[in-house]
Amino acid sequence: MSPRFIAWAFLLAAVRAAEAQSPQEVEVGVGVARVQQRARDERQAAVVNATWRSSDPRYAFLVSGALTNTGDRSSAAQIAGGAAWRPDPGSWFVIEGGAGLNMFGVSDVGRGGNVYGVVRPRVLWGPGGAWLSLADGQTLRDLDSSHGTAVEGGAWIQGGGFTASVSSSRLRTDDWPLFEASGIFLNRDAYSYDVDDVMASLRWVNGPFTADVQKTWRVGRRATNAAQQAVLWGASWAVSDRVALALTGGRVLADPVRGTPDATIASATVRLTWRPSRSESDVPGVKSYARLVPQPDGALLFVAVTVPDGVSVDIAGDFSGWEPAPLHRTANGWELEVRLPSGRHRVAVRFDGGAWRSPGNLAKMKDEFGGEYGLIIVP
Amino acid sequence: MTTRTSLLTIAALLVAAAGVAGAQDARLALIRDNATRDVVNAQLVSASSMRLPAEPFVSKALEGVAKKATLKSIRSAMAALEKRMKTAYDLLGPSATVDELAAGADAISMGVSEKTIKQMRDRAPNRSIAMELGVITELVARGVPAKKAAAMMLDLMARGATGVQLTALGRDVQGDVAAGLKPDVALDLRGRGVLSLLPPPPTVSNVNVRPR
């Protein structure tokens, strides 16, 4: 297998890192990967990647880099950057953009590389939203230049710890070696090659556990003949606030925008995260508000939390045995609704795994563990 | 007490303790760390020997575990809670409910004086004052001076304020404080509003008037 394709594993690892839950954090991942490009030898590699991410209510930035060492001349490198902007913190509109640079074979740079960019406007409503994405990439492989574009539309919805999304895209490229290696190439003399993808993904988050599965169906269009399917799965376990274990496996289809091939991968990574302890007062754009609505047999407690994208939220209390309570996604953040019987109750909220604090509007009490909780008295 | 009676008493206590422990098993099972669970069990035995209910201790331990507190700080927090609960027990009497004891412990932690808690109990010796203790704790936590909160609460209890009125008072004070009013001024304003809706306190003269 060509070593350039090892970079695909690290690109994937970097993309996973880019989905890290917190702004203002540095994450380092170390692990091993096994990659097999279609019809080629299997390769093993050591993986090291690093991500820095920062955000405020209107902007978010990300820089991610990955290195691989295959024990020979075929090491690879990848770097990607991204930004997101919204007109105001509560806006229903977000625009994201990013660019990446891949080098296939660091010790032999002449073997190839890729540069790509992507723009993705998103609209948010209720617990979901939709996006339209435009991507363009240029690949130089063994002195042959090729070009790829993609137009994608999709939508997602969240609820009960699940996030489901579906998208459809049209890819056009003149990168015939890539499609030839993928087995979907038909006519070498064609001006360009088109394929259509439909992708469905599901993410489930339950406390420290996260599971993802993504399925792609590809149909060949102009000068191609493809009826491919691929399933990619991932799972992670946050052992603590700083340490997480992640597994990824499955197949990814050739991506002409990023110059990456059809490959089967399996990777295991340990992720170490450094982030400052954050509370509501020092996370810009974060607000929480608790409201108690009396009922005949107690009260309904509503806790609404407004957070920028990427800020994680946990709410717990004695009503949930201090386990994180299930939250509902709203346009601007998250909401908890729980029925409380008459009596005394405690509730606390934290952001990005930081110190536990009382939600706004409640009486703040010290919790003797370095944080606080909000006191609720239900008549 | 005869030896036989003593043995029966001990046996009954053991059965009762086993019952308490059994009831808590399910929640203690959530504590995966053996050392922490041992500390909590030891604390429950200690609390039981003082006739203190287990529930607030289990809840505090689960809170500490969920917040990833160290074993040392969980032990320290439960010891401090035991001390406050014991004081509340002494002030509120042996018939105090779990909610009253927990609310009393909260009030003590916020600086409500023991004298105030005793006076509150004296105002309502035959019913739970968990709500009143909770509200006074809320008020102090919102910045009302403890003495000012105590005086208003004792007045409200003497006039027969209901739980709904008291919790509404706490919310209104919070709203006023959020709007910029000083906590003690907000309590004065809102407390007078509640008092104006209540019947006057019984006096010596009209207490002894025979109803017509």
Side-chain angles (χ1 to χ4, degrees):
Chain A
M1 164 184 172
S2 170
R4 72 190 68 164
F5 296 128
I6 296 293
W8 178 223
F10 308 107
L11 174 62
L12 189 72
V15 170
R16 296 285 304 158
E19 294 171 356
Q21 295 181 356
S22 172
Q24 298 289 355
E25 71 177 26
V26 174
E27 182 179 286
V28 174
V30 180
V32 292
R34 182 182 290 253
V35 184
Q36 183 171 25
Q37 189 201 352
R38 191 174 180 277
R40 305 221 178 172
D41 294 339
E42 187 176 87
R43 294 296 295 264
Q44 294 185 14
V47 181
V48 179
N49 60 57
T51 300
W52 170 85
R53 180 173 175 159
S54 173
S55 73
D56 72 11
R58 293 179 59 201
Y59 298 95
F61 303 97
L62 166 82
V63 177
S64 177
L67 289 170
T68 177
N69 182 3
T70 56
D72 54 23
R73 297 175 65 242
S74 58
S75 297
Q78 176 270 335
I79 187 165
W85 172 81
R86 61 172 64 192
D88 62 72
S91 172
W92 54 270
F93 175 74
V94 181
I95 188 161
E96 299 170 342
L101 176 66
N102 304 319
M103 286 181 283
F104 309 141
V106 172
S107 62
D108 185 2
V109 175
R111 300 189 69 169
N114 165 275
V115 60
Y116 67 89
V118 59
V119 177
R120 187 169 75 156
R122 286 196 296 150
V123 292
L124 319 172
W125 75 86
W131 76 87
L132 179 68
S133 167
L134 302 170
D136 189 276
Q138 191 79 33
T139 302
L140 184 67
R141 187 181 296 111
D142 295 330
L143 301 180
D144 286 332
S145 176
S146 59
H147 180 243
T149 59
V151 179
E152 181 185 66
W156 80 94
I157 189 165
Q158 296 177 310
F162 289 92
T163 302
S165 70
V166 62
S167 64
S168 176
S169 60
R170 163 65 63 94
L171 294 95
R172 172 166 294 179
T173 184
D174 56 3
D175 192 350
W176 65 264
L178 185 74
F179 276 7
E180 183 180 45
S182 305
I184 57 177
F185 165 72
L186 271 186
N187 180 2
R188 185 168 178 165
D189 296 327
Y191 176 72
S192 62
Y193 310 90
D194 288 358
V195 291
D196 285 346
D197 284 359
V198 173
M199 184 184 297
S201 69
L202 185 66
R203 165 171 285 196
W204 176 60
V205 179
N206 185 10
F209 300 100
T210 301
D212 293 276
V213 63
Q214 172 185 299
K215 177 144 188 174
T216 306
W217 293 266
R218 171 165 289 178
V219 177
R221 297 298 180 193
R222 187 196 309 187
T224 56
N225 181 20
Q228 297 181 315
Q229 295 184 20
V231 176
L232 184 67
W233 59 265
S236 69
W237 172 37
V239 181
S240 70
D241 286 346
R242 294 184 186 277
V243 180
L245 306 176
L247 298 173
T248 302
R251 180 185 178 192
V252 288
L253 300 178
D255 182 349
V257 174
R258 293 166 182 80
T260 53
D262 188 330
T264 302
I265 65 166
S267 70
T269 312
V270 178
R271 295 203 301 248
L272 307 173
T273 304
W274 287 267
R275 64 167 74 97
S277 179
R278 298 153 75 83
S279 64
E280 182 169 336
S281 59
D282 54 24
V283 180
V286 167
K287 282 182 189 172
S288 64
Y289 183 84
R291 186 163 59 96
L292 206 60
V293 179
Q295 302 281 302
D297 54 347
L300 276 178
L301 170 69
F302 293 94
V303 182
V305 182
T306 303
V307 291
D309 280 352
V311 175
S312 67
V313 179
D314 291 311
I315 302 179
D318 41 16
F319 57 85
S320 67
W322 288 102
E323 290 291 314
L327 307 178
H328 306 290
R329 193 79 167 99
T330 64
N332 299 324
W334 300 90
E335 187 176 80
L336 167 75
E337 177 185 336
V338 61
R339 184 176 294 276
L340 299 177
S342 176
R344 160 189 170 273
H345 305 276
R346 299 177 294 156
V347 62
V349 59
R350 70 173 177 175
F351 306 97
D352 284 346
W356 289 90
R357 300 295 177 201
S358 166
N361 204 42
L362 294 181
K364 297 176 173 58
M365 305 279 290
K366 300 270 186 212
D367 67 2
E368 296 169 311
F369 303 119
E372 61 185 29
Y373 61 83
L375 181 66
I376 301 166
I377 307 297
V378 178
Chain B
M1 184 182 287
T2 65
T3 304
R4 178 186 169 84
T5 312
S6 299
L7 287 173
L8 284 173
T9 305
I10 291 168
L13 284 173
L14 286 174
V15 168
V20 170
Q24 298 298 341
D25 276 351
R27 299 184 65 193
L28 289 182
L30 297 172
I31 302 173
R32 297 191 183 100
D33 177 52
N34 288 337
T36 306
R37 202 164 51 241
D38 289 347
V39 164
V40 177
N41 277 323
Q43 181 63 62
L44 293 183
V45 171
S46 171
S48 177
S49 71
M50 297 180 187
R51 298 183 180 180
L52 299 177
E55 160 56 29
F57 295 96
V58 174
S59 182
K60 177 60 77 175
L62 290 175
E63 181 186 359
V65 170
K67 294 180 175 180
K68 295 186 166 51
T70 63
L71 181 58
K72 185 180 174 187
S73 66
I74 291 174
R75 183 188 285 122
S76 167
M78 287 201 300
L81 177 62
E82 182 183 80
K83 190 176 173 187
R84 293 195 301 269
M85 293 273 288
K86 180 69 170 70
T87 303
Y89 180 88
D90 292 341
L91 294 169
L92 296 170
S95 62
T97 65
V98 177
D99 283 347
E100 278 182 298
L101 292 174
D106 277 351
I108 291 166
S109 77
M110 288 306 298
V112 176
S113 71
E114 295 180 15
K115 180 184 170 189
T116 299
I117 294 173
K118 189 78 175 74
Q119 287 176 318
M120 289 171 71
R121 165 50 82 215
D122 292 343
R123 286 273 198 280
N126 299 319
R127 65 170 177 84
S128 170
I129 58 167
M131 191 67 59
E132 288 80 355
L133 287 166
V135 172
I136 193 173
T137 304
E138 258 192 325
L139 291 171
V140 177
R142 293 187 194 285
V144 177
K147 280 188 178 175
K148 181 103 181 171
M152 181 60 74
M153 183 56 67
L154 290 168
D155 274 358
L156 288 165
M157 289 180 73
R159 301 278 290 276
T162 65
V164 172
Q165 287 173 318
L166 292 174
T167 52
L169 170 72
R171 283 200 303 274
D172 291 342
V173 168
Q174 164 64 19
D176 291 346
V177 171
L181 221 55
K182 285 186 173 178
D184 55 335
V185 176
L187 176 63
D188 206 42
L189 181 74
R190 296 295 182 171
R192 284 176 193 279
V194 177
L195 285 170
S196 70
L197 301 172
L198 299 171
T203 61
V204 174
S205 57
N206 64 23
V207 159
N208 293 322
V209 171
R210 181 182 295 175
R212 295 179 181 178

